[in-house]
Amino acid sequence: MDIAVIGLGASGSQLARQLAISSVERLSLFDIDARRLRRTTTAVEAIADDATTEVTSGPILDEPVPDVVAIATPVGTQLELARTWLSRGSDVVTTSDDPDEVSGLLELHDEAVEAGRSVVVGAAFVPGLSCVLTRFAADGLDEVEVISVYKAATGGPACARQHHRALKSSGYDWLDGEWVLRRGGSGRDLAWFPDPFGARDCYRGALPSPFLLQPVFPAAQRISARMAATRRDRFTSRLPMLRPPHADGGPGALRVEVRGRRDRAVETIILGVIDHPSVVTGIVAAIVTEEVGSGRVAPGAAGLATWDDPAALLRLLWPRGVRVASFDGTLEAQLSEPAPTISSVIDADLAATD
């Protein structure tokens, strides 16, 4: 399997490290920042198995064309890169959390199907893992009525800048069969994340999760997304960032709440994760990249909510340290069993999700 990673910031460098310990024959790393490229390449070479994985790096990507290109560049650059590598014959995995860019990536669906290639949209923390958790929860219900996604904290500097822009920008909710534009920073909602992260006030913003979830759950009455913010965050969101963002935003959290009906009774399933967003993004993107390269993802452009077996994907995340909490505490027993290899988990007859 020949894989290229473009963009080696906080999330991209984590992605490269995860791929270095996987079954990758050739791993090519690319970044316009020479110092960052050198630093990440050295770290990856130190953990890669020289006998099985060849690590190469450079400022631009030359021949041969990789089997899969994983894109972890700042938002606003991923659509053109995805279009370029799709046209050159590569499968593509993206990590963007910008609503406009996500919509543009989803519009590559027909082109990807015609080329027989896959474009995975939003293989990150939120969106990405949040989409997998939503699908996992929804599979335990007969009908899905309301989906609410909440996120807190950021990854690296590029993620922090996007978070700042998203809070001041309007975003869309899916409400009773139509898209409704909501003002950024409105709709205060107190969301409880897993302990010890605790409760955070969350607000609307320009978030892509509804666009990725609505095609999978068109009958849902409401699909919304909110982001945690303080009073200072809301006030300063209208201003330029007053200080440079941290290299890593520290621990973050996500919460997915899916309400619907099972056996005609109303039921709500709540799942959550606490971890560093950049680390989880790297793990999620790496596993998805391996799955795409192994030919187990159908052609087309779609998010991770379309994954046919979300439990299998969560089982792959578990041994890499991604722990998912459920409100009733039953999830750990389903996911904590070791997963020796990717193929053995995908092919196995997994336990039911309810």
Side-chain angles (χ1 to χ4, degrees), residues 9-47:
S11 298
S13 60
Q14 293 290 344
L15 167 58
R17 289 177 172 87
Q18 290 293 325
L19 290 171
I21 59 174
S22 304
S23 55
V24 177
E25 296 172 2
R26 186 168 187 262
L27 178 59
S28 303
L29 308 177
F30 302 92
D31 196 283
I32 60 174
D33 187 323
R35 186 174 62 176
R36 187 163 56 195
L37 176 63
R38 214 168 30 245
R39 182 176 64 245
T40 304
T41 301
T42 300
V44 168
E45 288 176 337
I47 61 176

Side-chain angles (χ1 to χ4, degrees), residues 2-223:
D2 187 347
I3 294 177
V5 178
I6 304 179
L8 300 173
S11 298
S13 60
Q14 293 290 344
L15 167 58
R17 289 177 172 87
Q18 290 293 325
L19 290 171
I21 59 174
S22 304
S23 55
V24 177
E25 296 172 2
R26 186 168 187 262
L27 178 59
S28 303
L29 308 177
F30 302 92
D31 196 283
I32 60 174
D33 187 323
R35 186 174 62 176
R36 187 163 56 195
L37 176 63
R38 214 168 30 245
R39 182 176 64 245
T40 304
T41 301
T42 300
V44 168
E45 288 176 337
I47 61 176
D49 187 341
D50 294 338
T52 59
T53 302
E54 176 189 359
V55 179
T56 64
S57 64
I60 58 174
L61 189 58
D62 297 316
E63 298 292 345
V65 175
D67 299 320
V68 188
V69 175
I71 303 173
T73 55
V75 299
T77 64
Q78 297 195 20
L79 177 57
E80 284 305 312
L81 285 169
R83 185 178 286 118
T84 296
W85 290 106
L86 179 62
S87 66
R88 294 188 65 180
S90 296
D91 293 303
V92 178
V93 176
T94 67
T95 57
S96 178
D97 62 348
D98 177 73
D100 293 335
E101 191 163 54
V102 163
S103 297
L105 288 165
L106 291 174
E107 290 174 359
L108 296 177
H109 178 74
D110 291 342
E111 183 179 343
V113 171
E114 184 177 352
R117 296 295 178 184
S118 301
V119 177
V120 179
V121 183
F125 188 51
V126 183
L129 180 55
S130 58
C131 296
V132 179
L133 295 182
T134 300
R135 177 64 183 271
F136 183 87
D139 284 353
L141 301 172
D142 300 324
E143 299 177 28
V144 174
E145 297 176 347
V146 178
I147 299 172
S148 302
V149 177
Y150 305 86
K151 75 164 192 170
T154 62
C159 182
R161 294 186 185 97
Q162 174 59 21
H163 180 95
H164 184 79
R165 288 190 294 267
L167 185 59
K168 69 179 179 182
S169 304
S170 298
Y172 284 91
D173 287 352
W174 178 253
L175 183 63
D176 294 332
E178 61 182 17
W179 291 107
V180 179
L181 186 64
R182 304 290 198 181
R183 182 171 58 86
S186 66
R188 178 185 176 186
D189 193 358
L190 183 65
W192 285 89
F193 297 96
D195 288 332
F197 207 86
R200 295 287 192 278
D201 284 328
C202 295
Y203 301 87
R204 299 187 181 104
L207 302 171
S209 292
F211 293 117
L212 291 166
L213 296 173
Q214 189 277 334
V216 185
F217 307 103
Q221 297 172 9
R222 185 172 76 245
I223 303 174

